Amino acid sequence: MNRTLAIGLFSGTDDRLNAAAVLIAGAAALGRPVHVFLQYWALAAFRGAIIDEDHGLAPEAGAAGADAVHRLARLGQASWAETLRQAKEIGQVEIQACSLSMDLFELEADDLDPLVDGVEGVTAFWLAASDADVLFI
Amino acid sequence: MNRTLAIGLFSGTDDRLNAAAVLIAGAAALGRPVHVFLQYWALAAFRGAIIDEDHGLAPEAGAAGADAVHRLARLGQASWAETLRQAKEIGQVEIQACSLSMDLFELEADDLDPLVDGVEGVTAFWLAASDADVLFI
Amino acid sequence: MNRTLAIGLFSGTDDRLNAAAVLIAGAAALGRPVHVFLQYWALAAFRGAIIDEDHGLAPEAGAAGADAVHRLARLGQASWAETLRQAKEIGQVEIQACSLSMDLFELEADDLDPLVDGVEGVTAFWLAASDADVLFI
């Protein structure tokens, strides 16, 4: 049960990020190390200046889905960023930015939220995931 | 070959649900246990009142993609729900609703199609996936 | 580290295909066999006549995201198709078209780019993935 969970986190909408955060927090609470590799729109969402803002939803949410998500937020549901902060407190969760995606958005490490532990290339990701369950979200 | 396949099923459009159903049915036919955890828009699509309706396609389908999908449906291709019903008859396929997503949509167990076997939290999902290939769809 | 990486490649937009190509090339460079199963919109993107064209981006990209992607392309970033061609030269990368998706688009093997090695059903995919990390992208 302490097999690493490695996640290529690509999506940057609040619904997918929240689903990812719940899966990460659940795995971390069970004692599993989690290694997250932020690509594309997920990396953009982890910029410190905007991480706690609204990141939209997948188009399939529609108006009814958006209403449901916003209702739960008003009721006090933790945001995905907050869930990840809690997961890092209780477990071993490492979050790395993909170096290619850093170039894509012309970001520096300082632009990222403190949730992000560093920047790595794809080779480092695969080495961290060498004995892991691997998800792409 | 009898390693469990565990799927975090998040997407609720017919194209992704059909791809998931084909992968699930194929694994079940090979004797692999399959454990599905319904999150967000996938859970919404499994409501009994609407499971057999049109759930739309990913935006990338475009008009030509939609035409292709509808042509195949007219030719008698089984829907993803029907493929999953067949998969449950021939193999060991368990479908659980994520409890957080049940709260999101204010659903009760009775609102779900009989394809869904129950409601579980993320911890139960990870315990079921403790020695499994894990996909997020 | 030479565990197979098996990918159900579903998405056909340039951002997801590029993220997939980077993960595939990185795994192949580390000596891991990679087996790709093209479904739906990914298969449509591998048609020989259009593989090197613009395949759009996920809606979440927005205008700023699209600008970033196009800037990097102008700076000479390899396309996902080019990255996959390179990955096949340095490693063991097998790309198979899903037979159901071939029917969906009424495609013949000749319609596909030479990157695609053949056509297979879902059972063949799961047999190739019998001892593999499995991703759905």
Side-chain angles (χ1 to χ4, degrees), chain C residues 76-99:
Chain C
Q77 188 197 38
S79 70
W80 55 265
E82 193 54 34
T83 298
L84 289 176
R85 287 179 193 115
Q86 293 165 6
K88 290 190 88 153
E89 279 172 21
I90 62 170
Q92 188 184 333
V93 178
E94 183 178 338
I95 300 179
Q96 294 284 342
C98 167
S99 55

Side-chain angles (χ1 to χ4, degrees), chain C residues 2 8 13 16 19 51 55 60 67-68 70 77 80 91 103 110 113 124-126 129 133:
Chain C
N2 50 12
T13 54
R16 285 188 172 251
I51 190 168
H55 297 275
E60 61 182 297
D67 284 351
H70 298 145
Q77 188 197 38
W80 55 265
D103 293 344
D110 282 355
D113 187 84
F125 171 68
W126 280 125
D133 292 338

Side-chain angles (χ1 to χ4, degrees), chain B residues 1 15-16 18 23 60 71, chain C residues 12 40-41 103 106 126 130:
Chain B
M1 268 317 288
D15 49 349
R16 287 189 169 250
N18 196 48
L23 291 169
E60 61 182 297
R71 183 187 64 85
Chain C
Y40 274 84
W41 321 120
D103 293 344
E106 303 183 275
W126 280 125
S130 64

Side-chain angles (χ1 to χ4, degrees), chain A residues 1-54:
Chain A
M1 269 316 289
N2 50 10
R3 186 170 160 89
T4 294
L5 173 65
I7 300 181
L9 187 51
F10 170 93
S11 302
T13 52
D14 284 328
D15 49 347
R16 285 189 171 250
L17 288 167
N18 195 50
V22 166
L23 291 170
I24 290 166
L30 288 168
R32 297 182 61 171
V34 183
H35 187 103
V36 181
F37 185 57
L38 299 174
Q39 297 181 289
Y40 275 85
W41 322 119
L43 177 61
F46 276 79
R47 286 176 289 181
I50 63 163
I51 190 169
D52 292 311
E53 291 183 6
D54 187 328

Side-chain angles (χ1 to χ4, degrees), chain C residues 13-36:
Chain C
T13 54
D14 284 328
D15 48 348
R16 285 188 172 251
L17 288 166
N18 195 50
V22 167
L23 291 170
I24 290 167
L30 288 168
R32 296 182 62 171
V34 183
H35 187 102
V36 181

